[in-house]
Amino acid sequence: MKTNTLLIMTALALASCGKSPEAAKTSETPVAPKPVAVSDSKIESEISSALTPAATVSPADNALKSEADSIISQYPGKTATELLNTPEVKDKLAVAMKKLGNDPVLLKRVNSTVDLAAQIKGLEGAAKLDLDMKGYDQARTSRMLQSVLSEEPQRIVDFLVSEIGEAAPDLSYGGLERAPNGVAIVPNTLPAPAAAAPPTDPE
């Protein structure tokens, strides 16, 4: 919202600025500028650009990307799922997941996103995320690894929520069981309790 505030403050500042005496003398009969035709799409584009903060990449982000890309290069041919089990990643994944498990707010955000996607898909009852990362390309694999290597549960949740959001149209309007990015929303069915062993006849 900082951009909105800045735009509003700038507009108010310009509106409150009157003409200087010199300007008033030299422009007693101002000439109205000719209107310039601007398409609605152009206006919408300019507004969107103004309201969208410029993406910034911190040195820490660059370091994470370099580390993720280095791991991908070190293990050519491994899928994103397999890379999670490499020595460079698995310990950091464990730390991040432990932090996530202790953060009910972030867990609720993931669960709410899954529930919303399930409703859009038309599922009834409890649902869960089924994420298949074997088909990830290098760019998506890198983004996933960066979120894990950071050991920040917020980044992992941001990644998952983004993936679910990208998949939602394919799962609902597209009617796909699994979106191209590997996301599937499936019923969360608990496993049936194990049947008791039948009693044996005493000899």
Side-chain angles (χ1 to χ4, degrees), residues 15-174:
S16 63
C17 290
K19 293 181 180 178
S20 64
E22 292 78 5
K25 291 178 182 178
T26 58
S27 58
E28 292 179 355
T29 56
V31 178
K34 295 181 179 180
V36 178
V38 181
S39 67
D40 291 342
S41 60
K42 176 67 174 177
I43 294 174
E44 291 176 1
S45 175
E46 292 295 334
I47 292 175
S48 176
S49 298
L51 297 181
T52 303
T56 57
V57 180
S58 68
D61 290 333
N62 283 329
L64 283 173
K65 185 177 187 307
S66 296
E67 185 178 1
D69 292 344
S70 175
I71 292 172
I72 294 172
S73 299
Q74 186 177 345
Y75 297 97
K78 281 190 178 294
T79 66
T81 305
E82 292 169 339
L83 289 173
L84 290 175
N85 292 317
T86 58
E88 296 82 358
V89 180
K90 64 179 181 181
D91 290 341
K92 293 188 175 184
L93 175 62
V95 171
M97 295 310 293
K98 183 177 181 180
K99 290 180 180 178
L100 179 57
N102 293 327
D103 193 326
V105 175
L106 288 178
L107 285 174
K108 183 178 180 181
R109 183 182 173 207
V110 175
N111 292 334
S112 297
T113 305
V114 170
D115 290 341
L116 180 59
Q119 292 175 21
I120 295 174
K121 183 176 171 61
L123 292 179
E124 296 182 0
K128 65 179 180 180
L129 170 64
D130 180 7
L131 182 58
D132 183 355
M133 299 186 295
K134 291 192 297 292
Y136 275 14
D137 60 14
Q138 181 168 333
R140 199 180 297 269
T141 299
S142 179
R143 291 197 301 272
M144 181 275 293
L145 286 178
Q146 289 171 54
S147 70
V148 173
L149 294 171
S150 72
E151 297 184 13
E152 297 176 12
Q154 176 70 60
R155 291 185 68 128
I156 293 178
V157 169
D158 288 344
F159 175 79
L160 292 175
V161 169
S162 174
E163 291 294 285
I164 296 170
E166 179 183 324
D170 291 309
L171 298 178
S172 55
Y173 309 115

